[in-house]
Amino acid sequence: MVVELLRFTVPPEQREAFIARDAEVWTPVLAARPGFLGKMALADRNDPGQVVFITQWESLEHWQSFPDDLRQKLDAQMRDLYTGFSLEAHDVRRSTQSI
């Protein structure tokens, strides 16, 4: 299992709009992809300008099979609501629960 961790910097006053738009734009597309296991949106308690999405995939191959052109198209629909992001990937070694 692979976990994708995306950390976005957003204007604090747009944080909830960003999370809502992600649920409309990205989540349905991800849910239809083979190997997608789940997604969680986290709002940082200490920094209202930070949003983290944690996405679980069955395998690295499933995650990497997401089409780049589709990724760019969906990202273009979000771009006006964030100012920066970082991406991390982690292999799950042990878990008591899926997202």
Side-chain angles (χ1 to χ4, degrees):
M1 184 183 321
V2 172
V3 171
E4 172 189 18
L5 191 146
L6 285 162
R7 182 178 310 274
F8 288 89
T9 301
V10 300
E13 66 277 3
Q14 292 187 348
R15 179 169 74 178
E16 295 308 316
F18 178 75
I19 293 169
R21 188 180 301 169
D22 176 83
E24 295 171 7
V25 170
W26 271 98
T27 303
V29 174
L30 292 172
R33 297 292 304 171
F36 175 79
L37 299 176
K39 181 177 177 181
M40 192 182 311
L42 306 174
D44 191 316
R45 286 183 171 204
N46 298 314
D47 184 349
Q50 294 293 307
V51 174
V52 174
F53 292 112
I54 299 172
T55 307
Q56 273 187 330
W57 295 92
E58 280 183 36
S59 69
L60 180 63
E61 293 75 23
H62 284 105
W63 178 43
Q64 291 181 337
S65 73
F66 195 91
D68 194 49
D69 59 335
L70 180 55
R71 182 184 328 273
Q72 291 175 17
K73 177 184 170 188
L74 298 174
D75 187 53
Q77 296 177 53
M78 302 291 298
R79 191 66 183 104
D80 64 314
L81 291 177
Y82 70 90
T83 59
F85 77 96
S86 64
L87 168 68
E88 298 175 25
H90 301 270
D91 293 318
V92 175
R93 296 293 188 227
R94 187 170 66 90
S95 175
T96 58
Q97 177 178 336
S98 293
I99 312 178

